[in-house]
Amino acid sequence: MAMVLCFTAAVGYAEGNQTPATTASLTETIHQMTLGVDTLWVTIAAMLVFFMQAGFGMVEAGFIRAKNTCNILTKNFLDYSLASLMFFFVGYAFMFGEGSFIGGNGFCLIGCDETVGTVQIWAFWFFQAAFCGAAATIVAGGMAERMKFPAYLIYTVVISALVYPIVGHWIWGGGWLAEMGFKDFAGSTVVHATGGWAAFIGTILLGPRLGKYVNGKAKAIAGHNIPLACLGVFILWFGWFGFNPGSTVAVGDGADLALVAMNTNLSAAAGGVTAMIVVWILVGKPDLSMTMNGALAGLVAITAPCAFVTPTAAILIGAIGGVIVVLGVLLLDRIRVDDPVGAVPVHGMNGLWGTIAVGLFDVNDGLFNGGGVKLLGTQILGTLTVSLFVIVSMGLVFLAIRNTIGLRVSRAEELRGLDIGEHGMESYAGFQIFVTE
Amino acid sequence: MAMVLCFTAAVGYAEGNQTPATTASLTETIHQMTLGVDTLWVTIAAMLVFFMQAGFGMVEAGFIRAKNTCNILTKNFLDYSLASLMFFFVGYAFMFGEGSFIGGNGFCLIGCDETVGTVQIWAFWFFQAAFCGAAATIVAGGMAERMKFPAYLIYTVVISALVYPIVGHWIWGGGWLAEMGFKDFAGSTVVHATGGWAAFIGTILLGPRLGKYVNGKAKAIAGHNIPLACLGVFILWFGWFGFNPGSTVAVGDGADLALVAMNTNLSAAAGGVTAMIVVWILVGKPDLSMTMNGALAGLVAITAPCAFVTPTAAILIGAIGGVIVVLGVLLLDRIRVDDPVGAVPVHGMNGLWGTIAVGLFDVNDGLFNGGGVKLLGTQILGTLTVSLFVIVSMGLVFLAIRNTIGLRVSRAEELRGLDIGEHGMESYAGFQIFVTE
Amino acid sequence: MAMVLCFTAAVGYAEGNQTPATTASLTETIHQMTLGVDTLWVTIAAMLVFFMQAGFGMVEAGFIRAKNTCNILTKNFLDYSLASLMFFFVGYAFMFGEGSFIGGNGFCLIGCDETVGTVQIWAFWFFQAAFCGAAATIVAGGMAERMKFPAYLIYTVVISALVYPIVGHWIWGGGWLAEMGFKDFAGSTVVHATGGWAAFIGTILLGPRLGKYVNGKAKAIAGHNIPLACLGVFILWFGWFGFNPGSTVAVGDGADLALVAMNTNLSAAAGGVTAMIVVWILVGKPDLSMTMNGALAGLVAITAPCAFVTPTAAILIGAIGGVIVVLGVLLLDRIRVDDPVGAVPVHGMNGLWGTIAVGLFDVNDGLFNGGGVKLLGTQILGTLTVSLFVIVSMGLVFLAIRNTIGLRVSRAEELRGLDIGEHGMESYAGFQIFVTE
């Protein structure tokens, strides 16, 4: 039966040419196919990175109280949407355009080459835009349950249009850190340290939630939906297989992307296990929230080194990440920084750790592989500089917001919940829920 | 170490041939590889479209009351399952077989060619079957909370075996609209207008939910689980990256699928942002439900034009989609059509809009690109005809059901909830839930 | 605009060679590309199989009571993490190393070839490790709501490091069943029968939940979150498109993976429909839980035969699977084996059925295709031997645990819930939940 089909795009090279193939025509055909396969891979990876947004949303929502759930989901939804638009209009140009401190051409992709390496520009943009959204959304968790919605929208526009692209330009856009030989394969610093330290300064400037510190002691405020948070962690882990392996930006013979995927998986697994063990020892019970944050810590930590280290090193890096996240959560509680979902230990501290780990475990230039301290020094310098830059620049932004429209909702609204206050809706209509402060 | 491996299928062409390669043998190898890559892509895209079913389920469940949640999920589960079976037995033949009004050969794929373009028939079928399931499930949301389960099963068989394939035949199967030059890249009309207008007529024939219109005023009936609905929207957005880019049905050099992915993302983002702004202005708060429906509206609207327009046009198309969905929801409330999840504004109205937008923004033949009104006229004619055909044919089906086994559950069952009434189970055993009408 | 880009890995073969291509160089280029495409496919498939872990978690959580939800999710989270680590250290070597009863080389992948077939070893490992995790997690559901957490950790290490790799070695690693011609394409026996029968013996040794059998009658204990379970089923179905089609371990011309995907989808659909019909007839209502288990049954059943049978046979195999699962649940209730989520009927019984179905429906050697009873006999022998081996070996493990640290939590803890008892946390803080036994 001859299928009638008005649906397919032109199928091009697959159709038999009338003229016999030559080595020259075959070379061209293979080149087109390489463009196709590499673009397909980066597009699929971008989809997975996009899907991480659902993971962030569910983790953040699950770890906070029911009364603020719609609020954080709206933030999560909007930061990705605004980041997509901003990164099209200006962010991509700031990040990948020419310039030393910041890029300056390619707004709306005008004038850009059709391909980046062997990837169509549209796919490369989509992949990078999804990264930008991830950096933006990390902050929502740290500042959850008390930040004004309009303030969040302003923050989002600034980080996705300006701060993230500047950091990205330095490291992935040919800027000064790139020139120094700084290595951050998939963004422990570019994405996670940026998001994590922005959350850190934002959380400090916002102050702790009502009822978090009573008589000088930190009080646990339980998350309202742990299964949802758990699902979110699985979605993040799943999406990370786009985030890290996709950063190869080419398929080649598959060795790089496969090693990266394996390392990513092992590091996450190790982080979850060590976090569980440490919290079991320190607190007496294998806490699921901490275990899940341990896996996320392992994922953040392996993001920079995933393509540069062996699987055994990946396990070590993740395992240490799991320890860091538990100690980090306890430390923040001691210094009274109220980070409801652990954004700072997961993304900030482990962003640092992962970046530094490259200097230790890199198979060629790492300290433990006889590479000396040169790379290690560059990694430490780079990640600390970026963290400091983010804290200062985002600190100024948050201060400006605080002194104009205000960062924080009213006491009454915080007690009642931001779902009603900011959005006029409830997350779980019909359910009997105790509203606590 | 030589791995012992009894697992892999024959690896074929990758093994070194004993005889030296010639340009002819290389051409054949590349042809096989193209079949492989294109089939892989369409299969992955089909998986993503399948996964949209989970998105539809969670959105529909989250936006209605807890007491009817199992019911809508069972409908959602069964419509995909039945659509898969129906589309194998008869739907594919009706859609892609030869014939003017309807196809007539290829039942159970018997007699079909092994490939469609450069895609293996199995993959092409899977992709198309998942589309059929999507069209079927749209209706569940509009008719939620009061429709009998057996009536829904009958409806599902009819739409997936007959109505959807007929529309698909006209547009993608070589029918009269295809011959007129009607352009619907991934189905704003074929899938979304079909599902949306079927929901429209079904909702009207079913009547509003008890308690929806009191003393002439529409009463808001809040959804019971907004985080679940939010997750559903993210899953839909994620799955749409299979729906739209997969409709290239070939990888080629990757440019088409990458542009489609980027446009899809930008349109969704723009739709979410404008819907939020419009509802903020009209109602006073940035409502999350409406924002999410705005993103879905952007996705529906870009489905027809995604491969034919620039990213800037995609932003405009999505932005207008976001406005349409808010106004559409308000309009339906005014004319007392009770569509609990917004299926008609999202899929019906934006299916129309997206199809018409091709006539405006098509880079070659669009009105705004100097292409005149020819394409625009064809688009308007095509989408209106399809919508009318769906309303009439499905209206007759729903009337026939109403006059035989009945469309609507009893008043007592509606008050008590369809979970108990139709399925003998509860969605949230152990939770304290207020059952409201 | 020349994009400045410090991001991409070396792009290699895509760059134009200075020297003109020859047929020899093109052959090598195509070989590299085949490695790339096949590795990419297996890596993506592995991601999907990983994601099934989220599906298992949500199904298991949704089908039990709220008070034990964190507990099962922690088990689910840890079994995948531990399986990943164990499968790296020893499991892969036991499974794919050389040896008759068990493999003996390749620990930590040391000494392994760089590729397996046309797939990079890292990707092949990742895919196999995800399978190992799936086998491990099946047991959590059957033993839910009463098993000690430390006991579960020990169980997990044993099954993923030893029992699963031994079974895998027999069938996929060149062991005695492989040599006999036993056919299990994607693991109806290797993964599902192994997990299912381990759950069976574990459940028996653990005893039923308090309040399950009262005065000799089985009492239904309702799941606490059916929408979550439904989402889990959709995620599993989605992930199964990695599980089955990915088991081609090569793209080739795409025909195999596409047929497998289509068969997988049809069998799941048929299983859901027949389970619904059977439960409707037997119990009087179309129960959603049973319908969903029917789809899972169809998925398990088609896992062994998916590449060896026609789509029509796939529908039959799934349809029978759906019947088996309903009867299996009723049978277990009658013999008082308390399996809260139906792990034994879904994975154990349908693992057997699917494996035997190969002997009936195989297009070449199946009984119904004139192939005689040779293959059928091998299939029956193989799957029964494996099931027996698992029941005996895991039975000894569970007995050893029971006689040392104990398998079961105290009566008080079981009544109060394992979330508080084992993990010191609640799943749904703030919600009003009735704790029932």
Side-chain angles (χ1 to χ4, degrees), chain C residues 17-387:
Chain C
N17 290 314
Q18 304 309 87
T19 52
T22 63
T23 53
S25 74
L26 287 173
T27 302
E28 176 55 25
T29 301
I30 290 172
H31 177 64
Q32 296 296 314
M33 208 162 168
T34 303
L35 283 176
V37 169
D38 287 355
T39 298
L40 178 61
W41 167 224
V42 172
T43 305
I44 290 173
M47 297 172 195
L48 289 166
V49 180
F50 159 78
F51 197 44
M52 290 173 68
Q53 204 71 20
F56 280 114
M58 298 308 124
V59 169
E60 291 164 3
F63 277 165
I64 64 170
R65 285 164 295 181
K67 65 181 179 179
N68 299 316
T69 302
C70 280
N71 176 254
I72 205 155
L73 291 171
T74 315
K75 288 172 176 166
N76 179 265
F77 205 84
L78 260 294
D79 60 40
Y80 181 81
S81 297
L82 288 172
S84 287
L85 298 172
M86 288 301 119
F87 203 73
F88 176 67
F89 293 130
V90 298
Y92 187 87
F94 288 159
M95 187 154 165
F96 291 105
E98 288 168 86
S100 56
F101 180 79
I102 186 169
N105 54 342
F107 299 97
C108 300
L109 302 192
I110 293 168
C112 290
D113 290 343
E114 278 179 22
T115 54
V116 177
T118 49
V119 173
Q120 301 285 348
I121 182 83
W122 317 118
F124 186 73
W125 177 87
F126 179 25
F127 187 65
Q128 295 297 332
F131 270 61
C132 178
T137 208
I138 289 167
V139 172
M143 300 177 76
E145 305 206 271
R146 58 219 196 271
M147 184 185 187
K148 275 187 179 176
F149 182 66
Y152 189 80
L153 295 183
I154 294 170
Y155 143 78
T156 288
V157 168
V158 174
I159 200 169
S160 61
L162 205 60
V163 174
Y164 172 79
I166 287 173
V167 172
H169 183 75
W170 294 354
I171 297 171
W172 291 340
W176 66 276
L177 277 168
E179 286 178 5
M180 280 184 67
F182 181 78
K183 295 172 87 163
D184 184 3
F185 189 72
S188 286
T189 289
V190 177
V191 176
H192 296 284
T194 296
W197 296 113
F200 178 70
I201 188 67
T203 301
I204 289 174
L205 292 173
L206 198 51
R209 289 168 292 175
L210 294 174
K212 176 65 190 173
Y213 299 102
V214 181
N215 301 327
K217 288 195 70 174
K219 211 181 102 187
I221 298 178
H224 86 286
N225 197 334
I226 304 302
L228 198 68
C230 183
L231 177 64
V233 173
F234 277 121
I235 292 175
L236 282 170
W237 190 332
F238 178 57
W240 231 290
F241 291 128
F243 205 92
N244 286 3
S247 292
T248 54
V249 203
V251 171
D253 67 2
D256 285 355
L257 72 91
L259 175 64
V260 170
M262 181 180 179
N263 281 347
T264 300
N265 191 60
L266 284 173
S267 183
V273 171
T274 55
M276 182 192 73
I277 293 170
V278 173
V279 78
W280 205 338
I281 293 169
L282 295 181
V283 181
K285 300 264 188 187
D287 179 85
L288 174 56
S289 305
M290 209 63 105
T291 305
M292 296 194 296
N293 267 339
L296 296 179
L299 288 163
V300 170
I302 201 62
T303 296
C306 54
F308 309 131
V309 302
T310 63
T312 307
I315 292 173
L316 278 171
I317 291 168
I320 294 168
V323 177
I324 289 172
V325 82
V326 177
L327 300 180
V329 167
L330 299 176
L331 174 69
L332 286 185
D333 255 359
R334 187 159 300 186
I335 62 170
R336 298 205 192 176
V337 173
D338 181 18
D339 171 7
V341 308
V344 177
V346 169
H347 300 280
M349 296 181 190
N350 273 291
L352 284 188
W353 159 237
T355 308
I356 293 169
V358 176
L360 300 173
F361 294 101
D362 187 284
V363 286
N364 294 314
D365 304 317
L367 180 64
F368 297 159
N369 290 308
V373 297
K374 183 162 181 299
L375 179 60
L376 180 62
T378 307
Q379 297 298 107
I380 293 172
L381 173 74
T383 194
L384 287 181
T385 308
V386 166
S387 301

Side-chain angles (χ1 to χ4, degrees), chain A residues 335-391:
Chain A
I335 62 172
R336 299 203 193 174
V337 173
D338 181 19
D339 171 7
V341 308
V344 178
V346 168
H347 300 279
M349 297 182 189
N350 273 291
L352 284 188
W353 159 237
T355 308
I356 293 169
V358 176
L360 300 174
F361 294 101
D362 186 283
V363 286
N364 294 315
D365 304 318
L367 181 65
F368 298 158
N369 288 309
V373 297
K374 183 162 181 300
L375 179 60
L376 180 61
T378 305
Q379 297 297 108
I380 294 172
L381 173 75
T383 194
L384 287 182
T385 308
V386 166
S387 300
L388 199 67
F389 168 71
V390 169
I391 288 173

Side-chain angles (χ1 to χ4, degrees), chain B residues 69-259:
Chain B
T69 303
C70 280
N71 177 254
I72 204 153
L73 292 171
T74 314
K75 287 172 178 167
N76 179 264
F77 204 84
L78 260 295
D79 60 40
Y80 181 82
S81 297
L82 288 173
S84 287
L85 297 172
M86 288 302 120
F87 204 73
F88 174 68
F89 294 129
V90 297
Y92 187 87
F94 288 159
M95 186 153 166
F96 292 104
E98 287 167 87
S100 56
F101 179 79
I102 187 170
N105 54 342
F107 298 97
C108 299
L109 303 192
I110 292 166
C112 291
D113 290 343
E114 280 181 21
T115 55
V116 177
T118 48
V119 173
Q120 302 284 348
I121 182 82
W122 317 118
F124 186 73
W125 177 87
F126 179 25
F127 187 65
Q128 295 297 333
F131 270 60
C132 177
T137 207
I138 288 167
V139 172
M143 300 178 77
E145 306 207 89
R146 61 221 193 268
M147 185 184 187
K148 273 188 180 174
F149 183 66
Y152 189 80
L153 294 182
I154 293 169
Y155 143 79
T156 288
V157 169
V158 174
I159 199 169
S160 59
L162 206 61
V163 175
Y164 172 80
I166 288 173
V167 171
H169 183 75
W170 294 353
I171 298 172
W172 291 341
W176 65 277
L177 277 168
E179 284 177 8
M180 280 184 68
F182 181 77
K183 294 171 86 165
D184 184 2
F185 189 74
S188 287
T189 289
V190 177
V191 176
H192 296 284
T194 297
W197 296 114
F200 178 71
I201 188 66
T203 301
I204 289 174
L205 291 173
L206 199 50
R209 290 168 291 175
L210 294 175
K212 175 66 189 172
Y213 300 103
V214 181
N215 300 327
K217 290 195 67 174
K219 210 182 106 188
I221 298 178
H224 86 284
N225 197 335
I226 305 301
L228 198 68
C230 182
L231 175 65
V233 173
F234 277 122
I235 291 175
L236 283 171
W237 191 330
F238 178 57
W240 233 287
F241 291 128
F243 204 93
N244 285 3
S247 292
T248 55
V249 202
V251 171
D253 67 1
D256 285 355
L257 72 91
L259 176 64

